[in-house]
Amino acid sequence: MSMLIDAGKSERGWSRIGQFMKCPQLFSYTNRLDLSMIPASALTRGSIGHILQAHQHAIWGAKQGGCFVGDDWITDPKDVLPPEEAALAYCDKEGQGHEHLDRMVETFRRYMARYPEPPGSIVAVEYPITGVLGHLDGQWGLWAITNDTKRRIKATPLDCPGHPDHGKPLTLTRRLDLVIKDRSNRVYVWDHKHQARVEPGRSVDAYAIDGGFSAFRILGKQIWGPSTGVALNLIQTQDPWRVSRPTVPATPHRDAHFAQMLWRAEHQIARLDVGAESLWEWPKSQHETTCYGRYGACSAIKLCFYGESEISTFRG
């Protein structure tokens, strides 16, 4: 039976930490009160787009001789659903999103018309990786857990008595949309982004500073070698259907202390979990450009204005 690839979020991805660093209160709304802050339509379109890309690249990888799809090694293209069948199967499985299929399939077909060939040798599709904070060969940092390192890493666990995760390793997980090898044998981690507007000049630095891309680079280099790079696959979902594939510049200064920032953030979250009297009273950014940014107000702004009385807006 042909597989439907899992292109969902990883369990302990960067988004939770990045959101906490942006605004602890926003983190509490989404990760502790389980309120949805992103319009469902945007999430669903992005998910369908990722499914289409994942299945196309997995089929290419199988035809090239094999690639990882998730944790599985796939060599037969028939083991993977064709992209458009997969998009429909995803919507059927989720019980929603069918109204976005026409737009996302049109986006995919226009993408394929422009790029009908694989971008290189397909190494992996929707590939899960995990990093853990700890010591490896006497050096402390964020280390990719591999068959080679898993018995050598000495994890430094969460130190927050009273927290349910006290004493447990601190991990960061990523699901890599695509990993390719180019003609010079350099490996790149690709991240697909489906956007209403594609503006690469504005997007590249914005993504470069995002911690998720630092994790891609740090862990990717440990797995595939020091020359591993990171690239974007920016895909516009409406006319004029632009596509841009820029590489993401390195951020060596930030990368050098990324592990320390991750350690600090995890402990700040844990201390608030244990010590905050109310999930509605976590620290708030309270800054005009954070709370009211380029695309308008933070979706949670009324919750910060009026508190729990606004919760029905998010829970229907």
Side-chain angles (χ1 to χ4, degrees):
M1 183 177 178
S2 300
M3 71 185 298
L4 175 63
I5 298 171
D6 180 2
K9 292 175 62 176
S10 60
E11 185 178 357
R12 286 180 63 85
W14 169 257
S15 60
R16 56 185 288 277
I17 298 297
Q19 190 179 70
F20 177 81
M21 287 183 166
K22 176 182 178 181
C23 178
Q25 182 64 79
L26 184 61
F27 172 92
S28 177
Y29 292 151
T30 59
N31 290 275
R32 296 297 181 263
L33 291 166
D34 296 323
L35 303 177
S36 178
M37 298 292 137
I38 302 175
S41 58
L43 284 173
T44 301
R45 286 196 299 271
S47 296
I48 295 170
H50 273 75
I51 289 289
L52 290 159
Q53 289 289 322
H55 281 254
Q56 183 59 56
H57 286 92
I59 290 169
W60 276 334
K63 289 179 177 179
Q64 290 173 344
C67 68
F68 281 102
V69 177
D71 288 320
D72 299 321
W73 180 256
I74 299 296
T75 58
D76 187 347
K78 294 180 181 177
D79 288 339
V80 181
L81 282 170
E84 293 185 25
E85 289 183 26
L88 176 59
Y90 169 79
C91 293
D92 289 345
K93 176 175 173 285
E94 296 297 314
Q96 62 176 351
H98 297 83
E99 68 275 18
H100 302 295
L101 279 172
D102 287 347
R103 176 176 175 181
M104 296 313 298
V105 167
E106 175 73 5
T107 299
F108 175 70
R109 289 176 178 175
R110 288 176 178 271
Y111 178 91
M112 290 297 295
R114 182 167 180 180
Y115 294 107
E117 302 294 331
S121 297
I122 309 301
V123 176
V125 174
E126 295 298 334
Y127 187 64
I129 60 174
T130 299
V132 62
L133 292 172
H135 290 88
L136 177 63
D137 299 334
Q139 183 177 353
W140 188 85
L142 177 68
W143 301 107
I145 300 175
T146 66
N147 289 334
D148 176 57
T149 64
K150 62 184 178 183
R151 291 182 178 84
R152 295 163 47 214
I153 299 172
K154 296 181 180 178
T156 48
L158 181 71
D159 182 13
C160 186
H163 194 278
D165 292 334
H166 172 68
K168 295 181 181 179
L170 290 168
T171 59
L172 178 68
T173 61
R174 303 294 289 156
R175 189 186 301 278
L176 309 184
D177 291 347
L178 176 65
V179 183
I180 69 153
K181 186 180 292 185
D182 69 12
R183 292 180 181 178
S184 65
N185 284 325
R186 184 179 181 183
V187 172
Y188 283 90
V189 176
W190 278 36
D191 198 61
H192 307 307
K193 299 292 183 185
H194 292 84
Q195 304 172 321
R197 290 184 297 173
V198 167
E199 299 175 301
R202 179 175 293 180
S203 298
V204 171
D205 283 349
Y207 285 119
I209 200 60
D210 184 276
F213 286 82
S214 184
F216 286 153
R217 187 179 301 104
I218 291 169
L219 299 177
K221 286 182 176 182
Q222 293 171 23
I223 297 170
W224 291 291
S227 67
T228 301
V230 181
L232 287 161
N233 191 21
L234 304 175
I235 304 168
Q236 190 166 14
T237 61
Q238 60 187 19
D239 189 63
W241 315 98
R242 291 191 183 96
V243 177
S244 181
R245 294 168 156 184
T247 56
V248 178
T251 54
H253 170 69
R254 184 271 306 272
D255 291 1
H257 58 280
F258 181 79
Q260 290 95 325
M261 291 190 289
L262 181 59
W263 170 266
R264 189 179 304 116
E266 289 282 15
H267 282 79
Q268 290 171 339
I269 291 170
R271 285 193 288 270
L272 282 165
D273 280 334
V274 171
E277 293 184 4
S278 169
L279 292 171
W280 294 90
E281 296 176 5
W282 280 36
K284 298 171 174 60
S285 289
Q286 303 176 92
H287 190 277
E288 60 188 73
T289 58
T290 299
C291 302
Y292 212 103
R294 184 174 57 170
Y295 298 114
C298 168
S299 55
I301 197 166
K302 296 298 184 182
L303 293 174
C304 290
F305 280 5
Y306 305 114
E308 195 168 355
S309 64
E310 289 292 312
I311 199 170
S312 61
T313 304
F314 297 89
R315 287 183 172 166

